[in-house]
Amino acid sequence: MPKEIFIGGGGEDYAAPQHLTLKYANRHGLVAGATGTGKTVTLQILAESFSNEGVPVFLADVKGDLSGLVKAGSAETALHDAFIKRAQKIQFTAFSYHNVPVTFWDLFGDQGHPVRTTVAEMGPLLLSQLLELSEAQEGILNIAFRLADEQGLPLLDLKDLQALLVWVGENRDSLSLRYGNVSTASIGAIQRRLLVLENQGGAKMFGEPALELSDLMRQDAAGRGMVNILAADKLMAAPKLYATFLLWLLSELFETLPEVGDPEKPKLVFFFDEAHLLFEDAPKALVDKVEQVARLIRSKGVGVYFVTQSPDDIPEDILGQLGNRIQHALRAFTARDRKKLKLAAETYRENPRFPTEDAIREVGVGEAVTSMLQKKAVPGIVERTLIRPPSSQLGPITAAERKAVLQASDMSGKYDTPVDRKSAFEMLRARADQAAKEAAEAEEIAETAPDPMVREFSAARRYNGGRVGRSTSRKLGGRADTFASAMSEAVIKELKGTTGRRIVRGILGGLFKGR
Ligand SMILES: Nc1ncnc2c1ncn2[C@@H]1O[C@H](COP(=O)(O)OP(=O)(O)OP(=O)(O)O)[C@@H](O)[C@H]1O
Ligand SMILES: [Mg+2]
């Protein structure tokens, strides 16, 4: 008997239990519906049920109302009677109040443990998306990443990237010879975009300790899956940041997790709330990558569930891959609405009892048109399902309650304090300092040496801003290349950390990261 999670009751009298089969939960899903129709509660009951089955969950909490998952619901609330009635109607006799284990995360580090990644791990393609760069600017970012790689400069935080861009600017002439036109205008444009990102609070997202994916895939002592909640209320003011971060996470999961085929239950379920933000003004190249990752990540045991108002927010190729569907009510005021509704209805297997189109229009709050994958991953016939009530608290917890959860969390020691390792910024500064020092020495010799030959050589070594071609003059100086060797030592040390290793991958490897 395959393991399933209970969604609600269907059939004529809502008494026929509707399930999501865990074996097919990695075949992705869709939760859609107009405002106030029950999407968030559906997300909540799915997260609870996955957790109960030991499956870790990642979800973004856009309105802050999913934090209630960490607390059991209560018979003392105004909603209790309605919940009990609903449970009875769908013959959900096992209904009880309980919480699930939750870890709070926050890109800004306020409402949860900070979630960081490094610039190198984000890679030039996603960064270009994030910064909304033009093709020419993206080209320069690619060059910068490649240079960082060649020169062994770890790109951890925004400071590193900013320092690198300054350096690219200084070496524009020699780089243009190698890579084609590296224009000041383009570099300036990228720098300005970085400033905008910084003003949005994006600097906090880049750096170390970077998130370890295994920390999203934990179970508690009782074997329940951890529900990871990313505070996303502020992120909505910076939708690009939100979308890019989640894409990064998906691509990272894809690259890191081993192939598992169709496991008995997913390794992780990932809910993509406000999924329309991901695809709005997204270039086709990016949509194609998302489509590709969605298709391939299945075999890594990760189920991706898109949550959005209307199914047509999701590009058709991706929609076609979403096997498990919970469609709450859609409105149909205009001719255009009706057309959309008809199109949405056509993607389901008809139930002879009712026209799908009518059902999608008529379902009440907390009710949905559902279709789950059945045996051999065949889509089930559409049902009108009354969704089960949640066991955890409906609505947000208080700030004090959140604080208590954060303090008790075993992730706080690991992520709460940022670490600023030696990376591109420090290394380039050291390089410039060293060059300035050498130049000052050279100047002194040039002025004081009696031998005109020595004077000339020394003069050639005057500070030139730490430019790429500097090494020849250094050799002329006959000095051991101490800076270079010191640097390569430092690099070897850096490369032992995970981040250093990924510089290379950031450029060459991965679906998102290379082209
Ligand atoms: N499965 C359910 N069991 C009990 N009550 C429900 C259920 N689904 C929805 N409700 C009730 O309907 C209200 C609205 O649902 P919900 O917040 O999930 O809507 P939504 O689609 O997420 O809305 P929005 O688009 O505004 O975020 C809930 O606060 C709850 O009172
Ligand atoms: Mg909602």
Side-chain angles (χ1 to χ4, degrees):
M1 187 62 190
K3 278 208 148 212
E4 324 171 297
I5 60 182
F6 175 65
I7 303 297
E12 213 122 21
D13 50 3
Y14 296 114
Q18 302 298 310
H19 291 106
L20 193 162
T21 307
L22 280 177
K23 193 168 162 17
Y24 302 125
N26 65 336
R27 307 276 181 123
H28 308 325
L30 173 74
V31 178
T35 315
T37 53
K39 296 183 300 295
T40 299
V41 178
T42 294
L43 219 149
Q44 186 165 350
I45 65 113
L46 287 174
E48 284 172 4
S49 310
F50 279 122
S51 171
N52 288 340
E53 293 298 334
V55 178
V57 168
F58 179 90
L59 52 86
D61 192 6
V62 175
K63 293 189 180 152
D65 45 5
L66 284 164
S67 55
L69 276 158
V70 76
K71 218 178 143 191
S74 153
E76 305 302 316
T77 63
L79 285 164
H80 175 69
D81 289 346
F83 283 10
I84 296 300
K85 245 197 222 141
R86 185 180 277 257
Q88 278 167 352
K89 196 161 183 186
I90 59 177
Q91 301 189 6
F92 182 24
T93 48
F95 176 66
S96 69
Y97 288 123
H98 66 79
N99 73 340
V100 290
V102 168
T103 305
F104 291 113
W105 302 94
D106 184 358
L107 281 176
F108 303 104
D110 299 327
Q111 309 214 52
H113 305 300
V115 209
R116 301 181 198 89
T117 178
T118 63
V119 169
E121 281 183 67
M122 175 74 66
L125 176 59
L126 277 178
L127 259 175
S128 301
Q129 290 303 321
L130 175 59
L131 299 172
E132 298 178 74
L133 300 187
S134 70
E135 223 166 279
Q137 294 155 2
E138 187 179 344
I140 288 179
L141 202 59
N142 276 312
I143 293 171
F145 267 73
R146 176 182 293 201
L147 280 172
D149 192 32
E150 285 173 5
Q151 305 265 332
L153 300 168
L155 294 177
L156 306 183
D157 49 25
L158 285 189
K159 250 182 9 226
D160 290 329
L161 187 56
Q162 277 153 342
L164 183 68
L165 285 169
V166 169
W167 188 74
V168 166
E170 284 170 357
N171 293 288
R172 215 176 58 244
D173 295 345
S174 51
L175 292 176
S176 292
L177 288 179
R178 266 172 78 190
Y179 298 106
N181 187 29
V182 175
S183 81
T184 349
S186 296
I187 298 173
I190 304 175
Q191 285 168 326
R192 281 190 297 280
R193 297 292 177 135
L194 280 175
L195 214 59
V196 174
L197 179 63
E198 218 178 341
N199 291 340
Q200 287 177 334
K204 285 197 177 154
M205 167 181 170
F206 294 101
E208 290 188 315
L211 178 69
E212 271 176 46
L213 293 180
S214 56
D215 285 335
L216 296 182
M217 305 179 71
R218 292 171 302 142
Q219 290 181 334
D220 72 356
R224 295 182 303 171
M226 184 59 72
V227 178
N228 297 280
I229 301 183
L230 178 75
D233 45 345
K234 260 205 270 168
L235 278 183
M236 300 314 288
K240 274 276 178 233
L241 194 62
Y242 168 76
T244 316
F245 171 75
L246 293 185
L247 273 181
W248 166 78
L249 195 51
L250 261 191
S251 71
E252 204 62 19
L253 283 166
F254 172 75
E255 286 178 13
T256 316
L257 296 180
E259 203 74 26
V260 287
D262 271 326
E264 280 310 297
K265 61 184 184 190
K267 300 278 174 220
L268 178 75
V269 171
F270 192 103
F271 289 97
F272 231 127
D273 204 355
E274 304 284 346
H276 63 100
L277 289 176
L278 187 57
F279 304 113
E280 260 165 23
D281 329 303
K284 187 165 183 314
L286 186 69
V287 174
D288 287 349
K289 301 263 178 191
V290 178
E291 191 270 329
Q292 204 177 358
V293 167
R295 185 155 33 81
L296 298 172
I297 205 169
R298 198 176 92 188
S299 63
K300 311 260 173 156
V302 177
V304 183
Y305 288 67
F306 292 92
V307 185
T308 190
Q309 296 214 349
S310 166
D312 75 300
D313 293 334
I314 315 249
E316 217 176 303
D317 289 344
I318 297 174
L319 197 60
Q321 294 183 46
L322 309 182
N324 301 293
R325 299 185 180 197
I326 302 183
Q327 172 70 63
H328 289 283
L330 286 178
R331 317 215 189 289
F333 299 128
T334 67
R336 196 154 157 243
D337 290 344
R338 284 190 288 277
K339 212 165 123 199
K340 278 192 196 173
L341 189 97
K342 193 156 181 284
L343 283 175
E346 278 169 5
T347 61
Y348 289 92
R349 257 179 87 192
E350 282 278 318
N351 188 324
R353 246 177 43 241
F354 56 83
T356 311
E357 202 180 323
D358 294 353
I360 297 179
R361 201 168 29 227
E362 290 163 9
V363 281
V365 171
E367 188 183 353
V369 168
T370 61
S371 166
M372 304 292 161
L373 292 178
Q374 321 259 304
K375 220 171 165 171
K376 299 215 165 88
V378 174
I381 289 173
V382 156
E383 254 319 329
R384 268 185 78 148
T385 303
L386 194 60
I387 307 295
R388 55 156 288 188
S391 290
S392 52
Q393 173 178 302
L394 188 73
I397 53 172
T398 65
E401 285 168 334
R402 186 187 286 264
K403 205 169 156 205
V405 175
L406 280 173
Q407 271 166 1
S409 158
D410 47 359
M411 291 291 108
S412 55
K414 186 162 178 182
Y415 292 109
D416 287 358
T417 318
V419 178
D420 195 2
R421 271 203 300 161
K422 186 163 151 203
S423 51
F425 172 77
E426 289 83 4
M427 290 162 94
L428 285 169
R429 198 177 50 189
R431 190 189 285 197
D433 286 352
Q434 176 71 17
K437 204 173 122 214
E438 281 178 14
E441 282 168 13
E443 201 141 337
E444 217 185 291
I445 297 171
E447 274 158 19
T448 52
D451 182 343
M453 269 290 269
V454 173
R455 271 214 302 272
E456 202 174 310
F457 276 151
S458 297
R461 288 177 51 234
R462 276 183 200 173
Y463 183 51
N464 67 354
R467 277 159 212 257
V468 170
R470 213 164 47 85
S471 55
T472 19
S473 56
R474 206 193 285 135
K475 270 182 204 124
L476 265 180
R479 209 178 266 208
D481 215 354
T482 44
F483 175 67
S485 62
M487 196 161 89
S488 59
E489 237 168 68
V491 170
I492 288 165
K493 213 163 74 209
E494 301 298 325
L495 288 181
K496 284 188 180 142
T498 42
T499 315
R501 232 187 316 119
R502 289 189 183 164
I503 297 178
V504 180
R505 239 196 35 195
I507 302 156
L508 305 171
L511 273 168
F512 278 112
K513 293 183 172 166
R515 271 215 262 217

